[in-house]
Amino acid sequence: MKYVTSGSGKMPLISLLAILSVSLTINLPGLAVSPMLSELHHIFHSSELESQLLTSLPNLCMIPVILIAGRLATARHQTGVLLIGLSIFLLGGVGCFMAENIGTLILLGCLVGIGCGMVVPVAAGAISEWFVGKSRQQDLGWKSTVSNSMVIIANLYVGWVVARSWHAAFAVYLMPVIPLALLPMMTQRYVKAHRKQGAQASASTDENFGALHFSGRASGLMLARLILLYAVLTYCTTSISYYSPFLMDSYGMSTTEVGIVTAAYYLMCAVAGAFVGRLKRLIGPAVMFISLAMCATGLLVIGLTANCGIYIAASLLTGLGYGIIQPIIYNKTTYVAPTRQLGTRYFGYVLSANYVGITLVPYIDSFFRRLFHSDSPGFEFVFSGVVAAVLLIWALLEHNNYVFAVNPASAAPSPSEVHRRSLRESSPAIS
């Protein structure tokens, strides 16, 4: 049996692969079929908003389910939650092959979202549970790589196949078959029976750096900041999936080109996740600020131009910025959680922010388009770029806060940082 380092010993490689396979599903509801939105708009003669409900409503359904699953997916019930969630996801995916109208597709998409919501906290929580230190940061990066790579494949496939059969595009919703097949290798019983712990716990393990977890009011305020940052940034960058089909269609570009542009974004997210540790060391302590600047710049460029090549380059830039920030947020969540046992619940809170951001996209953008009386095809990208720039300003103003401060040499906060922040946040006079 092959093993990988867990930070406090060794884990079976097959167990890590099983845990990562869950991430194959977590970005699929809605986003995987976004390249076909304009095609469905023409097929069913639906409004732009009705077509977008196919991506937004599944994510809306996921939000409360994620919060509930984060509480239910304890070590005792984790396997059961995964089994039920993946099965519901697969059932909804099979139903899409038989749907004949946009309303049925939306309802089945919601079923897919409910199933996916049950597995989302486990996708990150299982890594937090079994891996520590640098191994945890690396594997959380791989989690981002796997989930974003799946969206790349799905977008390219959907962009290509929709011109031949829109029903066939929903084959991407059959992906839960893989984690279901690997589920026995990630159960508590299997991992505990096959893992190898070091003779002496490493200094990087949670048992030895319990003091590095934030607690009390400091923990709650940092959790709120992480949720806000993740939700708003996801809202901004999701414009590439939501509005590229309509923007590019208005300039006469094909669904295949749409698939390439959206895939370019997720490609760079995937690459950044795989190399997040090296990128942190390369860019240095300013990594969060530079990454936010990349996102703002890429979105503004898309909104102000009308060229497919430029769209691809700007999507790559935006994906690089978002792809660096995403696993950093995940890793910070593990230390913001007061205890290791609360890690999955805190991941539920933070990961729900991702789907809040995705869900709000069409409603916020429609409101501001009407407010500014804009008829520009690229309005949503320009507006999202401005919002990303506001996030950058916020980050610069709070550059000493753990949420934005990054130490390239360590994935964890220092004991003095935890103590200082806890004292500061405990004072009601200091926000």
Side-chain angles (χ1 to χ4, degrees):
M1 180 179 290
K2 292 186 176 181
Y3 288 85
V4 294
T5 300
S6 67
S8 59
K10 293 186 176 181
M11 278 272 291
L13 174 61
I14 188 64
S15 296
L16 174 60
L17 294 176
I19 292 171
L20 291 176
S21 73
V22 178
S23 295
L24 290 170
T25 66
I26 63 174
N27 278 348
L28 289 182
L31 293 182
V33 297
S34 61
M36 65 188 289
L37 292 184
S38 60
E39 189 72 16
L40 294 178
H41 173 63
H42 296 308
I43 292 172
F44 296 116
H45 305 290
S46 58
S47 66
E48 181 176 319
L49 181 59
E50 285 176 321
S51 298
Q52 289 173 339
L53 288 177
L54 194 59
T55 57
S56 63
L57 279 186
N59 289 285
L60 179 62
C61 292
M62 289 176 68
I63 296 167
V65 178
I66 291 172
L67 297 175
I68 295 171
R71 290 178 171 270
L72 294 178
T74 60
R76 182 179 180 182
H77 302 296
Q78 188 180 91
T79 302
V81 170
L82 271 176
L83 178 61
I84 294 172
L86 291 169
S87 299
I88 293 173
F89 191 131
L90 184 60
L91 179 64
V94 171
C96 289
F97 284 93
M98 296 173 280
E100 294 297 339
N101 57 71
I102 192 71
T104 303
L105 285 174
I106 291 172
L107 289 175
L108 289 168
C110 291
L111 186 63
V112 167
I114 291 170
C116 187
M118 294 184 69
V119 308
V120 163
V122 181
I127 295 174
S128 178
E129 178 181 1
W130 297 115
F131 296 86
V132 295
K134 291 182 179 179
S135 295
R136 176 191 286 165
Q137 174 72 91
Q138 177 181 313
D139 292 328
L140 286 171
W142 279 113
K143 173 197 173 298
S144 297
T145 297
V146 170
S147 60
N148 289 309
S149 295
M150 189 60 241
V151 179
I152 296 169
I153 296 170
N155 274 268
L156 290 173
Y157 168 74
V158 171
W160 170 76
V161 82
V162 68
R164 297 156 180 81
S165 169
W166 65 266
H167 276 106
F170 287 97
V172 295
Y173 282 170
L174 304 183
M175 193 53 59
V177 168
I178 295 177
L180 279 171
L182 293 174
L183 188 58
M185 273 69 77
M186 64 170 292
T187 61
Q188 294 281 324
R189 179 179 298 178
Y190 183 90
V191 175
K192 288 179 179 179
H194 293 87
R195 67 174 175 165
K196 296 180 180 180
Q197 289 186 293
Q200 185 174 0
S202 166
S204 66
T205 63
D206 278 353
E207 288 78 11
N208 289 329
F209 58 51
L212 297 185
H213 286 261
F214 291 91
S215 60
R217 189 167 181 263
S219 173
L221 290 175
M222 288 188 181
L223 174 64
R225 289 183 176 98
L226 286 172
I227 289 173
L228 181 60
L229 172 64
Y230 198 19
V232 177
L233 186 60
T234 298
Y235 152 75
C236 295
T237 58
T238 301
S239 295
I240 293 176
S241 289
Y242 266 90
Y243 295 107
S244 290
F246 303 101
L247 173 67
M248 297 175 71
D249 183 57
S250 69
Y251 292 123
M253 301 179 195
S254 68
T255 56
T256 301
E257 289 174 309
V258 173
I260 293 172
V261 168
T262 53
Y265 166 73
Y266 289 106
L267 171 64
M268 196 52 70
C269 287
V271 171
F275 298 101
V276 64
R278 294 181 184 179
L279 289 169
K280 283 168 59 179
R281 291 190 294 272
L282 177 65
I283 299 174
V287 63
M288 289 287 279
F289 316 123
I290 292 175
S291 298
L292 286 169
M294 290 178 187
C295 293
T297 302
L299 292 167
L300 287 169
V301 167
I302 293 175
L304 297 173
T305 58
N307 179 276
C308 186
I310 294 176
Y311 290 165
I312 294 172
S315 292
L316 289 170
L317 182 65
T318 305
L320 177 60
Y322 186 77
I324 293 172
I325 293 174
Q326 190 177 49
I328 290 177
I329 289 176
Y330 294 161
N331 192 62
K332 286 180 180 293
T333 301
T334 65
Y335 299 106
V336 167
T339 66
R340 188 172 182 175
Q341 291 71 26
L342 288 173
T344 299
R345 182 182 300 182
Y346 269 56
F347 270 116
Y349 297 145
V350 171
L351 291 170
S352 66
N354 178 64
Y355 302 99
V356 169
I358 294 172
T359 303
L360 291 177
V361 172
Y363 308 106
I364 293 178
D365 289 338
S366 296
F367 171 78
F368 281 100
R369 178 181 277 274
R370 291 194 300 270
L371 181 65
F372 291 107
H373 305 288
S374 174
D375 58 359
S376 168
F379 170 82
E380 290 82 7
F381 289 98
V382 173
F383 183 75
S384 295
V386 171
V387 174
V390 172
L391 282 181
L392 173 58
I393 295 171
W394 175 38
L396 290 170
L397 290 174
E398 292 206 66
H399 62 277
N400 287 325
N401 191 287
Y402 175 68
V403 171
F404 301 106
V406 175
N407 178 4
S410 174
S414 66
S416 61
E417 183 177 13
V418 174
H419 180 67
R420 183 175 64 254
R421 181 57 56 181
S422 297
L423 288 177
R424 183 178 300 174
E425 300 293 6
S426 65
S427 173
I430 302 175
S431 59

